[in-house]
Amino acid sequence: MKTLYSALLCVLLTAVSYAQKETEKDTLNKKTTKLNEVIVTGNKNTDPVLTIVSNKYVENIVQPKNVADLFNNIIGFSSIKRGNYAIDPSFRASQYEQLNIQYDGGTKAMHACPNRMDPITTHIIPEEISKIEIIKGPYTVRYGATFGGVINMVTQKPNYLDYGLHGKISGGYESNGNSFVNMAQLQYIQEKYDIVANAGYRDFGNYEDGDGTEIPSSFRSTDYGIKVGYNFSDNQRLQAHWRQSFGRDVLHAALPMDTDYDNSSIISLDYKLDNIGKVIKSVNAKAYYSYVDHLMTNTNRPSFNMMEAASNVDATTTGGKVELHWQPVKSLNIFSGIDMLNVARDGNRERLVKVMNGNPLPQPMLFTDKVWQDSYINDLGVFTEAKYSVSPSTILTAGIRYDNVVSDIKDPEADFEAMYDLEKRTEHNISATVSVKKIVSDNFTIEAAYGRGVRSANMIERFINHFTVGQDPYEYVGNPNLDAEVNNQFEIGFKGYESLKNGLDAFKYEASFYYSFFENYIVAVVDENLDRKFMPMAQPQHAKVFRNLDEAYKTGFEVKAELDFLNDYFVKGEFAYAYAKNKDLNESLPLTPPFTTRFSAGIKKEKYWANLQYNLVSQQDNISESFDETTTDGYQTLDARIGINAFKNFTLGVAVLNIFDETYNNHLNFSFTNQTDFGRVPITEPGRNFSAFLQYRF
C-alpha cells in the first residue's frame, strides 16, 4: 500500500512541476480539465463498448429516492431487498462483488456487516447521483478486476463556467411510511478553484404492502459532503472529496438483527494533467480511503428474550490508481496503469445467553464470536487497454490485466483454524477482453465483445465462520482455498434509430444478447459432515461451506424500442431476460430474476412532463432449491409520474406508485427473519404510494 501511495505522490508532484514549467498562465481562459470520474464521455475513440447510461435523475425529479430507485428503471437490473435500506443491485443475475460498483470512476466503500446491512450504495445521498454508467460485462480492464460488469455512480458536477455562489434546496414526502427527505447544496465557483458542499437528512417509516400489512423497514440517515477543486492551469486539476454518512435505527425485515448505527467516512483525491504532448496525452491519478463502523443488535427481536446479541464490526477500504493515456499514432489510443484495492475487516459478536436447551439459566452466560477474524484481502492490478481505429467507422479494442491478490486471516477461531491449513495466500489472476464497434451509419451501430473476467473470492466466501448470511437459515462457513471465479462472456449488441414522417418523429431501438460460461463458480453447498455451531438443536442441522462449481452458465438478452411522435410524445417497451444453470446440482444459479417487461408512454415539454409505466414481471419457477428459493408468482403494477417546471428555478414532481395497490414480492427479496407475526416468507413490496418532491435552485 505504501508503495502505491508513494507512486501516486510522485506522479502528482512531477506532473505539477511539469505543468508549471510548460503551461503558460492564462487568467482569461475559462476551460476546466475534466477528471476521469465519468466512464462514458461520448467519444467513440475512447469509450468502452456495450454500455448503458441512465442520466435523468436531475431533470426528472419525482419522488424521494432510496438507493433501489436509482436502478429500478434501468433495463436488466433487479434489487436484492432485505428491508428498505439494505438493498443491493443485481444485473443479469450477477450481484455483490460480482459487480464492480464504484463512485466517480473508482472510489469504493466496502460493507462492514456480514449480512450486507450497509452495502456500498448506502454511503451516499441518492439525490446526489446525476447518472449511472454501466458496462454490461468484463469488457474493459481499466477500472479494477471485473467479473459481471462495471457500475459507476457519478455524483453531480457543478457548471464550472457559472461563476459565483449558487445552490439548491429540496424536500420530499412519501405517504406510504410517512417518509421525509431533505437536502441542501451550495457551490462557489471561481476560475482557479471551486467548492461544493451538501447535506441531507432522510426519515423513512415502516411501509405497508398492498394488504395493509406493516413491514418493519424504517430508518434515519444524515449525510454531508464537501468537494474542493483547484485548477493549476487550463489542463491541470486537483480535487479532494470528503463525505460522511450516519445511519440510525435501521430495521431489516429479512435479517436476524437491526442496525443501531452505521457510520461511514470516505475521502478521495483526484488529479489529472491533460494535453501533455503529441504522444503522452494525459495522466490521471486517484487515491481514496473509507471506514465503516457498524453496530447491530437483536434488542427488538423475539430472540432477545433467550439471547442478547450485539455485533460491532468495521471495514477499512483503501485504494488508488494511476493511468497514462498515450497515443503513439493518431489511430491508436492506449491506456496503461496500476491500481490497488485493499479491504480489511474485524469485529466480534457478543452473545448473552439466557436460555439454553429450553431451560432458563440461573446466571446468563457471555460468549464472544469472531465475525471477521481480523482478515484482509489486497489486490494490486496492472493493466493495458488499446483502442485502434481500423477505419473512421470501425474501432477494435483489446486489453489485458494482471491482479496479484493477497489474503490472510490474522485472528482465526479455533474451530476454523482446525478446518484449514491457514497461511497467507497469493493468487495470480489474468483477465482479458477483445471487442469491435462498427458504426454502420449515422443511424446504426453494432458491437461485439468477448471478456474474460476473473474474481477472487470475497471475504464472506473465504473467512465467515458459522454465520447465517444467506437467504436461507443455514449457517455458512468460508473456504480460504477457493479458486477464483472466471466469467467467459460473449455479447453482441446493436442500436439505432430511423427518422419518420407524418406526425411520427423517430423510431429508436437497441438490443443485447449474451452468453457466459463460468469456471470455478462459487456457491455454498450443504456439508453433511459439518454440524451447525450455534443453537445445535435447531434446524437445519448441517452447515453450508463455500465450494467451486465445475459447470455453470448464463444467457439472456435485453431489448428496447421507442416511438417518438407529435414532437413531444413517446411510447416505449423494454424487455429483459436472464437464464442461469448450475449443471453440477441441476438447478438454477441463485438470485436469477424472472422475465421482466416494461411499457411506458408519456409527454415531455419545456414546462412539464408526465408518463405512465406498466410493469409486468413473470412467474419465476427456474429456482435454486439448494438456496431455499421457492417459485415466485408474477405480478403487474402501474406507476404515474408528473413533473412541472412552470415557475422559475422551481421543480415540482408528484407520483403515484403501485396505483392498484397490488400485494407482491420480487423473486430476489430475502425472507422475514426473526420477526414477530411473520413466517419465513419473502418480504413484500410497498402498496400504493403517493409522493411529492420540490426543488428550488438559485
Side-chain angles (χ1 to χ4, degrees):
M1 183 176 71
K2 292 181 179 179
T3 302
L4 183 56
Y5 278 113
S6 297
L8 285 170
L9 183 59
C10 288
V11 169
L12 294 179
L13 292 176
T14 302
V16 169
S17 175
Y18 176 88
Q20 288 175 338
K21 291 179 180 178
E22 301 296 328
T23 304
E24 293 184 0
K25 296 181 179 180
D26 182 4
T27 57
L28 298 178
N29 196 329
K30 295 183 178 182
K31 182 181 177 181
T32 299
T33 296
K34 294 182 179 180
L35 298 171
N36 285 26
E37 300 168 302
V38 176
I39 294 175
V40 184
T41 63
N43 186 336
K44 65 182 179 65
N45 294 319
T46 57
D47 280 353
V49 299
L50 295 163
T51 59
I52 303 173
V53 179
S54 180
N55 59 355
K56 297 181 179 179
Y57 304 121
V58 177
E59 297 87 347
N60 292 357
I61 292 174
V62 172
Q63 70 216 41
K65 298 187 295 287
N66 59 28
V67 174
D69 290 312
L70 298 178
F71 297 92
N72 277 346
N73 293 321
I74 305 177
I75 188 170
F77 272 88
S78 302
S79 294
I80 302 171
K81 188 170 185 177
R82 306 170 190 85
N84 219 19
Y85 187 82
I87 301 171
D88 275 293
S90 172
F91 180 63
R92 295 178 168 178
S94 292
Q95 50 274 323
Y96 308 147
E97 280 79 359
Q98 290 179 333
L99 295 175
N100 182 359
I101 304 176
Q102 53 192 241
Y103 301 122
D104 292 334
T107 303
K108 293 192 175 188
M110 305 304 288
H111 61 96
C113 174
N115 287 110
R116 305 183 73 93
M117 293 179 180
D118 54 340
I120 183 173
T121 46
T122 63
H123 302 303
I124 192 170
I125 305 171
E127 287 82 11
E128 191 181 354
I129 299 297
S130 64
K131 67 176 180 177
I132 295 177
E133 303 173 319
I134 299 103
I135 302 174
K136 298 179 183 180
Y139 306 136
T140 181
V141 296
R142 296 174 54 196
Y143 302 100
T146 299
F147 178 85
V150 178
I151 299 174
N152 183 40
M153 294 183 287
V154 183
T155 56
Q156 294 180 26
K157 305 295 183 290
N159 182 349
Y160 294 110
L161 301 183
D162 196 5
Y163 289 176
L165 181 65
H166 301 278
K168 63 181 179 180
I169 300 172
S170 59
Y173 173 75
E174 284 190 358
S175 64
N176 194 343
N178 195 30
S179 304
F180 297 87
V181 299
N182 301 282
M183 179 182 171
Q185 184 182 83
L186 288 174
Q187 65 181 52
Y188 184 71
I189 311 297
Q190 289 295 312
E191 182 183 348
K192 298 296 290 184
Y193 67 92
D194 45 85
I195 303 173
V196 181
N198 58 55
Y201 176 74
R202 319 171 67 74
D203 188 345
F204 276 64
N206 294 337
Y207 67 78
E208 294 182 354
D209 65 14
D211 288 334
T213 303
E214 184 174 314
I215 308 301
S217 55
S218 63
F219 69 89
R220 293 180 293 112
S221 68
T222 304
D223 307 78
Y224 79 92
I226 184 168
K227 185 185 299 183
V228 180
Y230 185 78
N231 303 313
F232 296 98
S233 65
D234 62 353
N235 68 335
Q236 184 181 197
R237 178 172 172 83
L238 178 67
Q239 179 178 283
H241 193 179
W242 165 260
R243 66 163 65 98
Q244 286 191 300
S245 179
F246 307 96
R248 292 293 183 271
D249 304 323
V250 184
L251 302 187
H252 305 283
L255 295 176
M257 304 170 82
D258 296 315
T259 299
D260 284 35
Y261 65 76
D262 185 78
N263 301 330
S264 66
S265 302
I266 307 171
I267 186 170
S268 61
L269 187 67
D270 289 88
Y271 172 81
K272 185 170 184 179
L273 177 62
D274 205 0
N275 300 320
I276 299 175
K278 291 184 178 180
V279 176
I280 306 299
K281 308 303 292 184
S282 67
V283 60
N284 72 85
K286 174 186 282 286
Y288 62 90
Y289 167 89
S290 72
Y291 179 75
V292 180
D293 182 18
H294 180 87
L295 175 65
M296 50 188 168
T297 67
N298 71 337
T299 303
N300 298 314
R301 299 300 185 96
S303 61
F304 184 79
N305 295 325
M306 296 181 293
M307 175 189 67
E308 298 180 21
S311 297
N312 193 189
V313 290
D314 61 76
T316 302
T317 308
T318 56
K321 174 181 176 179
V322 178
E323 182 183 68
L324 180 69
H325 174 198
W326 50 298
Q327 195 176 50
V329 294
K330 187 176 181 180
S331 59
L332 181 62
N333 288 279
I334 301 177
F335 302 88
S336 303
I338 180 172
D339 58 34
M340 177 187 71
L341 172 62
N342 297 341
V343 182
R345 295 187 178 100
D346 201 7
N348 298 323
R349 178 178 66 183
E350 303 287 344
R351 292 181 295 122
L352 186 65
V353 179
K354 308 172 186 176
V355 178
M356 186 173 289
N357 298 326
N359 300 311
L361 297 175
Q363 182 66 37
M365 300 176 64
L366 181 64
F367 297 89
T368 299
D369 311 312
K370 300 174 182 178
V371 177
W372 291 117
Q373 305 181 89
D374 195 6
S375 304
Y376 69 84
I377 302 173
N378 296 341
D379 185 339
L380 181 65
V382 181
F383 62 87
T384 291
E385 184 169 304
K387 290 182 172 292
Y388 177 60
S389 298
V390 180
S391 70
S393 63
T394 304
I395 300 167
L396 179 67
T397 300
I400 189 167
R401 177 183 179 87
Y402 165 73
D403 285 277
N404 181 280
V405 182
V406 178
S407 58
D408 198 9
I409 179 170
K410 297 189 288 184
D411 186 23
E413 288 274 22
D415 60 333
F416 194 82
E417 191 171 22
M419 285 185 65
Y420 301 105
D421 183 14
L422 297 176
E423 295 180 347
K424 182 186 292 187
R425 183 185 177 196
T426 301
E427 300 168 77
H428 307 279
N429 300 335
I430 301 294
S431 304
T433 184
V434 61
S435 63
V436 62
K437 177 188 291 187
K438 175 66 175 179
I439 303 172
V440 179
S441 68
D442 292 340
N443 298 349
F444 186 76
T445 300
I446 187 169
E447 300 169 305
Y450 162 74
R452 183 183 194 270
V454 183
R455 179 189 75 89
S456 288
N458 64 33
M459 204 170 289
I460 292 175
E461 296 161 340
R462 293 175 191 264
F463 299 133
I464 203 69
N465 187 34
H466 287 278
F467 283 86
T468 53
V469 296
Q471 191 177 27
D472 50 42
Y474 285 90
E475 290 182 354
Y476 282 65
V477 178
N479 180 355
N481 300 319
L482 288 167
D483 292 327
E485 281 185 329
V486 180
N487 175 20
N488 297 280
Q489 185 163 322
F490 301 85
E491 184 163 352
I492 185 169
F494 58 86
K495 64 180 67 175
Y497 72 91
E498 296 292 336
S499 297
L500 304 175
K501 299 179 180 180
N502 300 323
L504 301 178
D505 302 326
F507 178 67
K508 305 172 185 176
Y509 56 91
E510 60 181 272
S512 287
F513 302 88
Y514 60 90
Y515 173 81
S516 292
F517 70 89
F518 303 118
E519 303 170 42
N520 308 320
Y521 197 89
I522 299 172
V523 296
V525 179
V526 174
D527 187 338
E528 295 185 354
N529 296 316
L530 184 63
D531 291 337
R532 67 181 300 133
K533 178 179 180 180
F534 304 111
M535 300 178 66
M537 303 303 294
Q539 293 295 324
Q541 176 185 352
H542 303 295
K544 281 186 171 182
V545 180
F546 285 99
R547 308 289 190 196
N548 290 115
L549 294 179
D550 291 327
E551 294 186 75
Y553 69 89
K554 176 179 69 175
T555 188
F557 63 84
E558 294 101 27
V559 176
K560 180 165 64 174
E562 178 178 336
L563 177 65
D564 298 334
F565 59 97
L566 297 178
N567 296 324
D568 305 309
Y569 297 86
F570 71 89
V571 291
K572 181 169 61 175
E574 297 176 297
F575 312 87
Y577 177 70
Y579 177 86
K581 186 73 172 182
N582 175 350
K583 296 178 72 173
D584 289 31
L585 300 180
N586 194 30
E587 63 178 20
S588 173
L589 292 174
L591 298 173
T592 299
F595 180 59
T596 301
T597 303
R598 288 197 297 266
F599 294 109
S600 57
I603 179 175
K604 186 172 183 180
K605 288 182 173 290
E606 183 180 354
K607 296 295 185 181
Y608 66 90
W609 59 268
N611 66 63
L612 279 173
Q613 181 170 298
Y614 182 43
N615 310 292
L616 298 92
V617 178
S618 301
Q619 174 181 290
Q620 179 59 293
D621 52 13
N622 182 35
I623 60 175
S624 171
E625 294 184 358
S626 67
F627 202 64
D628 253 24
E629 289 186 340
T630 57
T631 297
T632 304
D633 292 335
Y635 58 88
Q636 303 174 35
T637 61
L638 181 66
D639 304 325
R641 300 173 172 88
I642 299 175
I644 301 172
N645 302 308
F647 306 101
K648 184 178 180 180
N649 299 331
F650 281 94
T651 301
L652 173 65
V654 294
V656 186
L657 307 180
N658 192 1
I659 291 174
F660 298 123
D661 207 18
E662 293 290 324
T663 301
Y664 68 98
N665 66 272
N666 188 287
H667 180 67
L668 274 59
N669 287 6
F670 275 41
S671 297
F672 291 103
T673 303
N674 195 17
Q675 297 283 354
T676 304
D677 301 326
F678 290 99
R680 197 172 182 93
V681 294
I683 59 176
T684 44
E685 298 286 348
R688 185 184 297 115
N689 189 11
F690 297 90
S691 69
F693 198 93
L694 179 65
Q695 180 173 275
Y696 171 67
R697 292 177 176 270
F698 58 92

